Coordinates of all heavy atoms in Angstrom, one line a residue:
T1356 N 79.2 136.0 99.4 CA 78.0 136.1 98.6 C 77.6 134.8 97.9 O 78.5 133.9 97.8 CB 78.1 137.2 97.5 OG1 79.2 136.8 96.6 CG2 78.4 138.6 98.1
K1357 N 76.4 134.6 97.5 CA 76.0 133.4 96.9 C 76.5 133.4 95.4 O 76.6 134.4 94.8 CB 74.5 133.2 96.8 CG 73.9 133.0 98.2 CD 72.4 132.8 98.1 CE 71.7 132.5 99.4 NZ 70.3 132.3 99.3
I1358 N 76.9 132.2 94.9 CA 77.4 132.0 93.6 C 76.2 132.3 92.6 O 75.0 132.0 92.9 CB 78.0 130.6 93.4 CG1 78.9 130.6 92.2 CG2 76.9 129.6 93.2 CD1 79.8 129.4 92.1
C1359 N 76.5 132.9 91.5 CA 75.5 133.2 90.4 C 74.5 134.3 91.0 O 73.4 134.4 90.5 CB 74.7 132.0 89.9 SG 75.7 131.0 88.8
D1360 N 74.9 135.0 92.0 CA 74.0 136.1 92.5 C 74.7 137.4 92.3 O 75.5 137.9 93.1 CB 73.8 135.8 94.0 CG 72.8 136.8 94.6 OD1 72.1 137.5 93.8 OD2 72.7 136.8 95.8
G1361 N 74.4 138.1 91.2 CA 75.0 139.3 90.9 C 76.2 139.2 90.0 O 76.5 138.1 89.5
K1362 N 76.9 140.3 89.7 CA 78.0 140.3 88.8 C 79.2 139.6 89.4 O 79.6 140.0 90.6 CB 78.3 141.7 88.3 CG 79.2 141.8 87.1 CD 79.3 143.2 86.6 CE 80.1 143.2 85.3 NZ 80.2 144.6 84.7
E1363 N 79.9 138.7 88.7 CA 81.0 138.0 89.2 C 82.2 138.1 88.3 O 82.1 138.3 87.1 CB 80.6 136.5 89.5 CG 79.6 136.3 90.5 CD 79.2 134.9 90.6 OE1 78.7 134.3 89.7 OE2 79.4 134.3 91.7
T1364 N 83.4 137.9 88.9 CA 84.6 137.9 88.1 C 85.6 136.9 88.8 O 85.1 136.1 89.6 CB 85.2 139.3 88.1 OG1 86.3 139.3 87.2 CG2 85.6 139.8 89.4
F1365 N 86.8 137.0 88.5 CA 87.8 136.0 89.0 C 89.0 136.8 89.5 O 89.4 137.8 89.0 CB 88.2 135.0 87.9 CG 87.1 134.1 87.5 CD1 86.3 134.5 86.5 CD2 87.0 132.9 88.1 CE1 85.3 133.6 86.1 CE2 85.9 132.0 87.7 CZ 85.1 132.4 86.7
I1366 N 89.7 136.2 90.5 CA 91.0 136.7 91.0 C 92.0 135.6 90.9 O 91.7 134.5 91.3 CB 90.8 137.3 92.4 CG1 92.1 138.0 92.8 CG2 90.5 136.3 93.4 CD1 92.0 138.9 94.0
N1367 N 93.1 135.9 90.3 CA 94.1 134.9 90.1 C 95.1 134.8 91.3 O 95.5 135.8 91.9 CB 95.0 135.2 88.9 CG 96.1 134.2 88.7 OD1 97.2 134.5 88.9 ND2 95.7 133.0 88.3
R1368 N 95.3 133.6 91.8 CA 96.3 133.3 92.9 C 97.5 132.5 92.3 O 97.3 131.4 91.8 CB 95.7 132.6 94.0 CG 94.4 133.2 94.6 CD 94.7 134.6 95.1 NE 95.4 134.6 96.3 CZ 95.8 135.7 96.9 NH1 95.5 136.9 96.4 NH2 96.5 135.7 98.1
A1369 N 98.6 133.1 92.3 CA 99.8 132.5 91.7 C 100.6 131.6 92.7 O 100.5 131.8 93.9 CB 100.7 133.6 91.2
L1370 N 101.3 130.6 92.1 CA 102.2 129.8 92.9 C 101.5 129.1 94.1 O 101.9 129.2 95.2 CB 103.4 130.6 93.4 CG 104.2 131.2 92.3 CD1 105.4 132.0 92.9 CD2 104.7 130.2 91.3
I1371 N 100.4 128.4 93.8 CA 99.7 127.6 94.8 C 99.5 126.1 94.3 O 99.7 125.8 93.2 CB 98.3 128.2 95.2 CG1 97.3 128.1 94.0 CG2 98.5 129.6 95.7 CD1 95.9 128.5 94.5
S1372 N 99.1 125.3 95.3 CA 98.8 123.9 95.0 C 97.5 123.6 95.7 O 97.2 124.2 96.8 CB 99.9 123.0 95.6 OG 99.6 121.7 95.7
M1373 N 96.7 122.7 95.1 CA 95.4 122.3 95.8 C 94.9 121.1 95.1 O 95.5 120.5 94.2 CB 94.4 123.5 95.8 CG 93.8 123.8 94.4 SD 92.6 125.1 94.6 CE 91.7 125.0 93.0
D1374 N 93.7 120.6 95.6 CA 93.1 119.4 95.1 C 93.0 119.5 93.6 O 92.8 120.6 93.0 CB 91.7 119.2 95.7 CG 91.7 118.7 97.1 OD1 92.8 118.3 97.5 OD2 90.7 118.7 97.7
D1375 N 93.0 118.3 92.9 CA 92.9 118.3 91.5 C 91.4 118.7 91.0 O 90.5 118.5 91.8 CB 93.2 116.9 90.9 CG 94.7 116.7 90.8 OD1 95.4 117.6 90.4 OD2 95.2 115.6 91.2
P1376 N 91.3 119.2 89.8 CA 90.0 119.6 89.3 C 89.1 118.4 89.1 O 89.6 117.3 89.0 CB 90.3 120.3 87.9 CG 91.6 119.7 87.5 CD 92.4 119.5 88.8
T1377 N 87.8 118.7 89.0 CA 86.8 117.6 88.9 C 86.4 117.3 87.5 O 85.7 116.3 87.2 CB 85.6 118.0 89.7 OG1 85.2 119.3 89.4 CG2 85.9 117.9 91.2
L1378 N 86.8 118.1 86.5 CA 86.4 117.9 85.1 C 87.7 117.8 84.3 O 88.7 118.3 84.6 CB 85.6 119.1 84.7 CG 84.2 119.3 85.3 CD1 83.6 120.6 84.8 CD2 83.3 118.2 85.1
P1379 N 87.6 117.1 83.1 CA 88.7 117.0 82.2 C 89.0 118.4 81.6 O 88.2 119.3 81.6 CB 88.2 116.0 81.2 CG 86.7 116.1 81.2 CD 86.4 116.4 82.6
I1380 N 90.2 118.5 80.9 CA 90.6 119.7 80.3 C 89.6 120.2 79.2 O 89.1 119.4 78.5 CB 92.0 119.6 79.7 CG1 92.5 120.9 79.2 CG2 92.1 118.5 78.7 CD1 94.0 120.9 78.7
F1381 N 89.4 121.5 79.2 CA 88.6 122.1 78.2 C 89.5 122.8 77.2 O 90.2 123.8 77.5 CB 87.6 123.1 78.8 CG 86.8 124.0 77.9 CD1 85.9 123.4 77.1 CD2 87.1 125.3 77.8 CE1 85.1 124.2 76.2 CE2 86.4 126.1 76.9 CZ 85.4 125.6 76.1
N1382 N 89.7 122.2 76.0 CA 90.7 122.7 75.1 C 90.3 124.0 74.4 O 89.2 124.2 73.8 CB 90.9 121.7 74.0 CG 91.5 120.4 74.5 OD1 90.9 119.4 74.5 ND2 92.8 120.5 74.9
T1383 N 91.1 125.0 74.6 CA 90.9 126.3 74.0 C 92.3 127.1 74.1 O 93.1 126.8 74.9 CB 89.8 127.1 74.7 OG1 89.7 128.4 74.1 CG2 90.2 127.4 76.2
N1384 N 92.5 128.0 73.1 CA 93.7 128.9 73.2 C 93.3 130.3 73.6 O 94.0 131.3 73.3 CB 94.4 128.9 71.9 CG 93.5 129.4 70.7 OD1 92.4 129.8 70.9 ND2 94.1 129.3 69.5
N1385 N 92.1 130.5 74.2 CA 91.6 131.8 74.5 C 91.0 131.7 76.0 O 90.0 131.0 76.2 CB 90.5 132.2 73.6 CG 90.0 133.6 73.8 OD1 90.2 134.2 74.8 ND2 89.5 134.2 72.7
E1386 N 91.7 132.4 76.9 CA 91.3 132.4 78.3 C 89.9 132.9 78.5 O 89.2 132.4 79.4 CB 92.2 133.1 79.2 CG 92.0 133.0 80.6 CD 92.9 133.7 81.5 OE1 93.8 134.5 81.0 OE2 92.8 133.6 82.8
S1387 N 89.4 133.8 77.7 CA 88.0 134.3 77.8 C 87.0 133.2 77.7 O 85.9 133.3 78.3 CB 87.8 135.5 76.8 OG 87.8 135.0 75.5
K1388 N 87.3 132.2 76.9 CA 86.4 131.1 76.8 C 86.3 130.3 78.1 O 85.2 129.8 78.4 CB 86.9 130.1 75.7 CG 86.9 130.8 74.3 CD 85.5 131.1 73.8 CE 85.5 131.6 72.3 NZ 84.2 132.0 71.8
C1389 N 87.4 130.2 78.8 CA 87.3 129.6 80.1 C 86.5 130.3 81.1 O 85.6 129.8 81.8 CB 88.8 129.5 80.7 SG 90.0 128.7 79.6
I1390 N 86.7 131.7 81.1 CA 85.9 132.5 82.0 C 84.4 132.4 81.7 O 83.5 132.3 82.6 CB 86.4 134.0 81.9 CG1 87.8 134.1 82.4 CG2 85.4 134.9 82.6 CD1 88.4 135.4 82.1
E1391 N 84.1 132.5 80.4 CA 82.7 132.4 79.9 C 82.0 131.1 80.3 O 80.9 131.0 80.9 CB 82.6 132.6 78.4 CG 81.2 132.5 77.8 CD 81.2 132.7 76.3 OE1 82.3 132.9 75.7 OE2 80.1 132.5 75.7
A1392 N 82.8 130.0 80.1 CA 82.2 128.6 80.4 C 82.0 128.5 81.9 O 81.0 127.9 82.4 CB 83.2 127.6 79.9
C1393 N 82.9 129.0 82.7 CA 82.8 128.8 84.2 C 81.6 129.7 84.7 O 80.9 129.2 85.6 CB 84.1 129.2 84.9 SG 84.2 128.9 86.6
L1394 N 81.5 130.9 84.2 CA 80.4 131.8 84.7 C 79.0 131.3 84.4 O 78.1 131.6 85.0 CB 80.6 133.2 84.2 CG 81.8 134.0 84.7 CD1 81.9 135.3 84.0 CD2 81.6 134.2 86.3
K1395 N 79.0 130.5 83.3 CA 77.7 129.9 82.9 C 77.3 128.8 83.8 O 76.1 128.3 83.8 CB 77.7 129.5 81.4 CG 77.7 130.6 80.4 CD 77.7 130.0 79.0 CE 77.6 131.1 77.9 NZ 77.6 130.5 76.6
N1396 N 78.2 128.2 84.5 CA 78.0 127.0 85.3 C 78.0 127.5 86.8 O 79.0 127.8 87.4 CB 79.1 126.0 85.1 CG 78.9 124.7 85.9 OD1 78.0 124.6 86.7 ND2 79.7 123.8 85.7
C1397 N 76.8 127.4 87.5 CA 76.7 127.8 88.8 C 77.4 126.9 89.9 O 77.3 127.2 91.1 CB 75.2 128.1 89.2 SG 74.5 129.5 88.4
T1398 N 78.0 125.8 89.4 CA 78.7 125.0 90.3 C 80.2 125.1 90.1 O 81.0 124.6 90.8 CB 78.4 123.5 90.1 OG1 78.7 123.1 88.7 CG2 76.9 123.2 90.3
C1399 N 80.6 126.0 89.1 CA 82.0 126.2 88.8 C 82.6 127.2 89.8 O 82.1 128.4 89.9 CB 82.2 126.6 87.4 SG 84.0 126.9 86.9
V1400 N 83.6 126.9 90.6 CA 84.1 127.8 91.6 C 85.5 128.3 91.3 O 86.0 129.3 91.9 CB 84.2 127.1 93.0 CG1 82.7 126.8 93.4 CG2 85.0 125.9 93.0
A1401 N 86.2 127.7 90.3 CA 87.6 128.1 90.0 C 88.0 127.5 88.6 O 87.4 126.5 88.2 CB 88.6 127.7 91.1
Y1402 N 89.0 128.1 88.0 CA 89.6 127.5 86.8 C 91.1 127.8 86.8 O 91.6 128.7 87.5 CB 88.9 128.0 85.6 CG 89.3 129.4 85.1 CD1 90.4 129.6 84.3 CD2 88.6 130.6 85.6 CE1 90.8 130.9 83.9 CE2 89.0 131.8 85.3 CZ 90.1 132.0 84.4 OH 90.5 133.3 84.1
S1403 N 91.8 127.0 85.9 CA 93.2 127.3 85.7 C 93.4 127.2 84.2 O 92.9 126.3 83.5 CB 94.1 126.3 86.4 OG 95.5 126.6 86.1
Y1404 N 94.1 128.2 83.6 CA 94.3 128.3 82.2 C 95.8 128.1 81.8 O 96.7 128.7 82.5 CB 93.8 129.7 81.7 CG 94.1 129.9 80.2 CD1 93.5 129.2 79.2 CD2 95.0 130.9 79.8 CE1 93.8 129.4 77.9 CE2 95.3 131.2 78.5 CZ 94.7 130.4 77.5 OH 95.0 130.6 76.2
S1405 N 96.0 127.4 80.8 CA 97.4 127.1 80.3 C 97.5 127.5 78.9 O 96.7 127.1 78.1 CB 97.8 125.7 80.5 OG 99.1 125.4 79.9
S1406 N 98.5 128.4 78.5 CA 98.6 128.8 77.2 C 100.1 128.6 76.7 O 101.0 129.1 77.4 CB 98.3 130.3 77.0 OG 98.6 130.8 75.7
Q1407 N 100.3 128.0 75.6 CA 101.7 127.8 75.1 C 102.3 129.1 74.6 O 103.5 129.2 74.6 CB 101.7 126.7 74.0 CG 101.3 125.3 74.5 CD 101.4 124.3 73.5 OE1 102.2 124.4 72.5 NE2 100.7 123.2 73.6
N1408 N 101.5 130.0 74.3 CA 102.1 131.3 73.8 C 102.2 132.3 74.9 O 102.5 133.5 74.7 CB 101.3 131.9 72.6 CG 99.8 132.2 73.0 OD1 99.5 132.3 74.2 ND2 99.0 132.4 72.0
K1409 N 101.9 131.9 76.2 CA 102.0 132.8 77.3 C 101.1 134.0 77.3 O 101.4 135.0 77.9 CB 103.5 133.2 77.6 CG 104.5 132.0 77.7 CD 105.9 132.5 78.1 CE 106.8 131.3 78.2 NZ 108.2 131.7 78.6
G1410 N 100.0 133.9 76.6 CA 99.1 135.0 76.6 C 98.2 135.0 77.8 O 97.7 134.0 78.2
G1411 N 98.1 136.2 78.4 CA 97.2 136.3 79.6 C 97.8 135.6 80.8 O 99.1 135.5 80.9
I1412 N 97.0 135.1 81.7 CA 97.5 134.4 82.9 C 97.7 132.9 82.5 O 96.8 132.3 82.1 CB 96.5 134.5 84.1 CG1 96.3 136.0 84.5 CG2 96.9 133.7 85.3 CD1 95.2 136.2 85.5
W1413 N 98.9 132.4 82.7 CA 99.2 131.1 82.3 C 99.9 130.3 83.4 O 100.4 130.9 84.3 CB 100.0 131.1 81.0 CG 101.4 131.5 81.1 CD1 101.9 132.7 81.6 CD2 102.5 130.7 80.9 NE1 103.2 132.7 81.6 CE2 103.7 131.5 81.2 CE3 102.7 129.4 80.4 CZ2 105.0 131.0 81.0 CZ3 104.0 128.9 80.2 CH2 105.1 129.7 80.5
D1414 N 99.9 129.0 83.2 CA 100.5 128.1 84.2 C 101.8 127.5 83.6 O 101.7 126.7 82.7 CB 99.5 127.0 84.5 CG 100.0 126.2 85.7 OD1 101.2 126.1 86.0 OD2 99.1 125.6 86.4
S1415 N 103.0 127.9 84.1 CA 104.2 127.5 83.5 C 104.5 126.0 83.7 O 105.3 125.5 83.0 CB 105.4 128.3 84.1 OG 105.4 128.1 85.5
S1416 N 103.8 125.4 84.6 CA 104.0 123.9 84.8 C 103.3 123.1 83.7 O 103.4 121.9 83.7 CB 103.5 123.5 86.2 OG 102.1 123.7 86.3
R1417 N 102.5 123.7 82.9 CA 101.7 123.0 81.9 C 101.9 123.5 80.5 O 101.0 123.7 79.7 CB 100.2 123.1 82.3 CG 99.9 122.5 83.6 CD 98.6 122.9 84.2 NE 98.4 122.2 85.4 CZ 98.0 121.0 85.6 NH1 97.6 120.3 84.6 NH2 97.9 120.4 86.8
V1418 N 103.1 123.7 80.1 CA 103.4 124.3 78.8 C 103.1 123.3 77.7 O 103.1 123.7 76.5 CB 104.9 124.8 78.7 CG1 105.1 126.0 79.6 CG2 105.9 123.7 79.0
S1419 N 103.0 122.0 78.0 CA 102.8 121.0 76.9 C 101.3 120.9 76.6 O 100.9 120.2 75.6 CB 103.3 119.7 77.3 OG 102.7 119.2 78.5
T1420 N 100.4 121.6 77.4 CA 99.0 121.5 77.1 C 98.4 122.9 77.0 O 99.0 123.9 77.4 CB 98.3 120.8 78.2 OG1 98.6 121.4 79.5 CG2 98.7 119.3 78.3
E1421 N 97.3 123.0 76.4 CA 96.6 124.3 76.2 C 95.1 124.2 76.4 O 94.5 123.3 75.8 CB 96.9 124.8 74.8 CG 96.6 126.3 74.6 CD 97.2 126.8 73.3 OE1 97.1 126.1 72.2 OE2 97.8 127.9 73.3
G1422 N 94.6 125.0 77.3 CA 93.2 124.9 77.6 C 93.0 125.3 79.1 O 93.8 126.0 79.7
C1423 N 91.9 124.9 79.7 CA 91.6 125.2 81.1 C 91.0 124.0 81.8 O 90.3 123.1 81.2 CB 90.7 126.4 81.1 SG 89.3 126.4 80.1
W1424 N 91.1 124.0 83.1 CA 90.6 123.0 84.0 C 89.6 123.7 84.9 O 89.8 124.9 85.3 CB 91.7 122.4 84.8 CG 92.6 121.5 84.0 CD1 92.6 120.1 83.9 CD2 93.7 121.9 83.2 NE1 93.6 119.7 83.1 CE2 94.3 120.7 82.7 CE3 94.3 123.2 82.9 CZ2 95.4 120.8 81.9 CZ3 95.4 123.2 82.1 CH2 96.0 122.0 81.6
F1425 N 88.5 123.1 85.3 CA 87.5 123.6 86.1 C 87.3 122.8 87.4 O 87.4 121.6 87.4 CB 86.1 123.7 85.4 CG 86.1 124.5 84.1 CD1 86.0 123.9 82.9 CD2 86.2 125.9 84.2 CE1 86.0 124.6 81.7 CE2 86.2 126.6 83.0 CZ 86.1 126.0 81.8
W1426 N 87.0 123.6 88.5 CA 86.7 122.9 89.8 C 85.2 123.1 90.0 O 84.7 124.3 90.0 CB 87.5 123.6 90.9 CG 88.9 123.1 91.0 CD1 89.3 122.1 91.8 CD2 90.0 123.5 90.2 NE1 90.7 121.9 91.6 CE2 91.1 122.8 90.6 CE3 90.2 124.4 89.2 CZ2 92.4 122.9 90.1 CZ3 91.4 124.6 88.7 CH2 92.5 123.9 89.1
E1427 N 84.4 122.1 90.3 CA 83.0 122.1 90.6 C 82.7 121.8 92.1 O 81.6 121.8 92.5 CB 82.2 121.2 89.7 CG 82.1 121.7 88.3 CD 81.1 120.9 87.5 OE1 81.0 119.7 87.6 OE2 80.3 121.5 86.8
T1428 N 83.7 121.4 92.8 CA 83.6 121.1 94.2 C 84.5 122.0 95.0 O 85.4 122.6 94.5 CB 83.9 119.6 94.5 OG1 85.3 119.4 94.1 CG2 83.0 118.7 93.8
E1429 N 84.2 122.2 96.3 CA 85.0 123.0 97.2 C 86.4 122.5 97.3 O 86.7 121.4 97.7 CB 84.4 123.1 98.6 CG 83.0 123.8 98.6 CD 82.5 123.8 100.0 OE1 82.8 122.9 100.8 OE2 81.7 124.7 100.3

Side-chain angles (χ1 to χ4, degrees):
T1356 60
K1357 292 182 179 180
I1358 201 166
C1359 284
D1360 185 12
K1362 195 170 184 180
E1363 295 177 299
T1364 187
F1365 294 87
I1366 188 167
N1367 177 254
R1368 306 300 289 178
L1370 302 179
I1371 68 171
S1372 167
M1373 71 179 195
D1374 285 349
D1375 282 315
T1377 49
L1378 296 174
I1380 185 172
F1381 172 69
N1382 295 111
T1383 180
N1384 60 3
N1385 189 336
E1386 187 180 5
S1387 64
K1388 296 293 184 183
C1389 305
I1390 296 172
E1391 181 182 354
C1393 189
L1394 289 176
K1395 284 182 178 179
N1396 181 357
C1397 288
T1398 61
C1399 180
V1400 296
Y1402 78 88
S1403 181
Y1404 174 65
S1405 172
S1406 171
Q1407 293 184 24
N1408 61 16
K1409 302 187 181 182
I1412 298 171
W1413 73 299
D1414 189 337
S1415 59
S1416 67
R1417 296 166 181 275
V1418 294
S1419 61
T1420 54
E1421 192 166 46
C1423 47
W1424 291 261
F1425 299 111
W1426 281 261
E1427 286 192 318
T1428 57
E1429 295 179 333

